[in-house]
Amino acid sequence: MAENLELKNSVAEALEKIMGISAVQKGLSFLKNDNDRTSADQKELTSIPAPTFDEGERGEYYRRRLEELGIEDVSKDDAGNIFGLRKGTGNGPRIAVCAHLDTVFPAGTDTVPKEKDGKIYAPGIADDGRGLAAVLTLIRAFNETGIETEADILFGATVGEEGLGDLNGVKALFGQDHGIDGFISIEPGSPERITYLAAGSKRYEIIYKGPGGHSFGDFGTPSAIHAAGKAIAGIADLKVPEDPKTTFNVGIVSGGTSVNTIAAEARLIIDLRSVSAEELARVEDEALSIIKEAAGADSGITVEIKQVGDRPAGSQDMESAIVQTAAEASRQLGFTASFEKASSTDSNVPIALGIPAVTLGGGGSFGGIHTLEEYFDPQDAYYGPQAIFLCILGLAGVKGISSPLLGFHRQNDSEGSL
Ligand SMILES: [Zn+2]
């Protein structure tokens, strides 16, 4: 406990020092005055369609924007992620700050924003149009103030965050040699919102196949549907803990030909989730053995198991530097930090790798996420970027003022420096 208190004090002390710098105050008022331009960026970005797996056009536009803002070495990797660098003094850790390019809306969806009663309506305007625009206003604030950070900051955007994208962008990012020590992902949400726990999920498509036949004439021939039924019954009886929350679901069942045909094929899609990597692995093992057993040895039924989703689970200490810095940053602006339940965001991947990561709210209010009625209300939305600005400064350290609160955590380097 004493250690935690020490950390809390050092975090508060660092942020108070940072708040005392005139350039930081200038940055905070710049962010406030930049609110309208940020909304304009948000509309512009949202109007370029970016379904998961088809983020190219929006990505190219984003790359140009980062380059125009003076970010160095902006590049697009093989996955389609767009990242560039704002160099620090060279002595600090490296922090990635990003949002996701993709939306859940298929090609052909009208994403051109429409305004009504002060709100902006467009599919994807909040998720994650807000995050993308927030990254740009943050870069402008850094440019405007000229603050020199100890840490390098990688600014950018990922692909494949939604649905079947399965976090492929952020997985690719951490598969490369960027030496990222800390990760901030910006999603729609209020400035006090801090997500630091990663709910993992595994999804499988299961196909049972058999010879099929006439229900009367070929009675005794094994049925693919009967096998699938045994599997469902077994899965339904799985025991999972409430804490850490772990769940299972057979979401889709299909198969069979007619009422008097022994089914030659049956298909299931299952979803397994947990906030604990161990529990997720356990429920996965149990479900897969039930699925295999249901086919029965030598019964003439085969089972094909295809993984269609894999989002890693993980947790980190609420008392860790990144979580406490995010909390203190929102406190400095008069908010009460709210620690969110585990969810599935780009931060899942670094958290599972043991690299500190948080998903922070980009500010403003919103509704109808993932629906055609999605909207964003830009009123006072600048509090989101302001809190993230302070959080980045605290983690990154400001030359001559404060040391980085973030330690070195890059992969294959478990030595924290705090
Ligand atoms: Zn999102």
Side-chain angles (χ1 to χ4, degrees), residues 100 102 126-128 161-162 186-188 370:
H100 63 88
D102 62 317
D127 187 11
D128 195 14
E161 193 270 349
E162 301 282 5
I186 309 176
E187 289 275 2
H370 291 192

Side-chain angles (χ1 to χ4, degrees), residues 212-222 259-262:
H214 190 277
S215 63
F216 191 71
D218 296 315
F219 183 69
T221 299
V259 67
N260 55 354
T261 302
I262 296 167

